[in-house]
Amino acid sequence: MTPTPQPLPEGSPDSSAAIDALLAVLRPLARLAIDHGVQFGQLEELMKRAMIDAAIRSAGQPGRERAVPASRISVMTGIHRKDVRRLTEAPGLDAVRADSTLAAMLFTRWMTGAAWQHDGRPRVLPRRSPADGGPSFESLARGTTTDVHPRTLLDELVRLGLVEHDEAVDTVSLRADAYVPAGRIGELLGFLGDNVGDHLAAAHANVAATLRAADEGEAPRPPFVEQALFADELSKASAEHAAGRAREFWQTLLRALAPELQRLEDADRTAGRPTDHRIRIGLYSYVAPMPPADPAAPETRTR
């Protein structure tokens, strides 16, 4: 049986390093959530589900993972036993998806409420309430919530690309394409989840294998390729040139490996071998400005 990695003592150097690494991973995930209107409560629920699943897989035996007691999962994750039971009994994501944000609630009212329709289409609304008391974005917003100012809701809807604010005449309209989802958005986010998820899984497997080897006094043998080449203090043009070269190398890798994978699939099928594994091979590049130098930090250079 594969040894279960032991939890790191709170406050240990390794635990501190893990926290730093998790923050670095969570920052782009938080930007993804903000860009797509996912609220903290939804993200927190997803994190609970992910931690419970990880604890079950870590503590369970093959074929008996769901037999892990809720109390043990609670100790491993810090999640209350009541939440552990709730989430293991209802593992789907319907409740998370149904947890509407204020922006989504307002959008839905505008799309479906008779008062906000004209000839079966969402009205173009004046931002402020007119003197005759007719429909307006302000009255729509205040009918959705009185806890948030209508202007704040408008700014959020504009940021999410759901509405347009014509400042010249001070009217607000639903974007014609907002309620017809762009064809590739779901596909792109699906690729993001698959690619980044497998990349993190490979990195975690390599760290876990290295720790197990150290405990057993063996030389580390990380199971997966997970390497990166990086350079600091480049001009923007030089960095973009390097990113372009990475694209060229990816095409070379793609042309070499795609036929090889097809050959392996065909050979497995012909030989009747069990086809119960998968592989994902990727390459990425990223260009960003360097953060300002910290004058109090010691000068170190790593490549």
Side-chain angles (χ1 to χ4, degrees), residues 8-25:
L8 297 167
E10 184 177 358
S12 72
D14 286 342
S15 177
S16 178
I19 289 171
D20 290 342
L22 285 168
L23 180 58
V25 170

Side-chain angles (χ1 to χ4, degrees), residues 21-75:
L22 285 168
L23 180 58
V25 170
L26 287 172
R27 280 177 173 143
L29 290 178
R31 291 197 296 270
L32 178 68
I34 292 294
D35 285 350
H36 294 277
V38 177
Q39 301 279 282
F40 173 75
Q42 293 170 296
L43 203 58
E44 181 183 36
E45 186 83 347
L46 291 174
M47 192 67 208
K48 285 181 181 179
R49 290 175 182 272
M51 290 194 69
I52 288 170
D53 185 64
I56 289 172
R57 291 173 183 272
S58 178
Q61 297 179 4
R64 300 187 65 251
E65 287 87 354
R66 293 293 163 183
V68 180
S71 57
R72 185 174 183 192
I73 297 172
S74 178
V75 169

Side-chain angles (χ1 to χ4, degrees), residues 84-161:
V84 171
R85 284 192 291 268
R86 173 177 65 84
L87 294 171
T88 52
E89 290 170 3
L93 295 178
D94 289 347
V96 180
R97 293 189 173 101
D99 188 9
S100 294
T101 65
L102 290 174
M105 291 169 61
L106 186 149
F107 179 83
T108 301
R109 289 189 70 216
W110 198 347
M111 283 290 300
T112 59
W116 318 106
Q117 303 282 308
H118 178 69
D119 291 336
R121 302 282 295 174
R123 291 177 181 269
V124 176
L125 299 174
R127 183 174 65 86
R128 296 181 178 277
S129 298
D132 63 5
S136 68
F137 180 83
E138 282 192 347
S139 60
L140 174 62
R142 293 194 189 283
T144 304
T145 180
T146 57
D147 294 333
V148 178
H149 194 278
R151 182 69 205 210
T152 302
L153 277 177
L154 174 59
D155 290 342
E156 177 64 1
L157 287 163
V158 169
R159 186 189 70 81
L160 292 172

Side-chain angles (χ1 to χ4, degrees), residues 202-271:
H204 168 261
N206 287 347
V207 171
T210 301
L211 292 176
R212 282 195 296 268
D215 287 343
E216 295 167 5
E218 299 177 355
R221 295 183 60 188
F224 302 114
V225 175
E226 203 275 318
Q227 300 289 326
L229 173 68
F230 61 96
D232 298 335
E233 297 184 1
L234 294 173
S235 68
K236 181 180 180 181
S238 294
E240 290 176 348
H241 171 77
R245 292 284 288 154
R247 285 191 177 90
E248 295 173 9
F249 281 114
W250 169 248
Q251 291 301 319
T252 301
L253 183 66
L254 184 65
R255 286 192 294 269
L257 279 179
E260 177 72 5
L261 290 174
Q262 185 61 58
R263 186 191 67 77
L264 292 170
E265 285 184 13
D266 294 341
D268 285 338
R269 193 176 300 112
T270 300

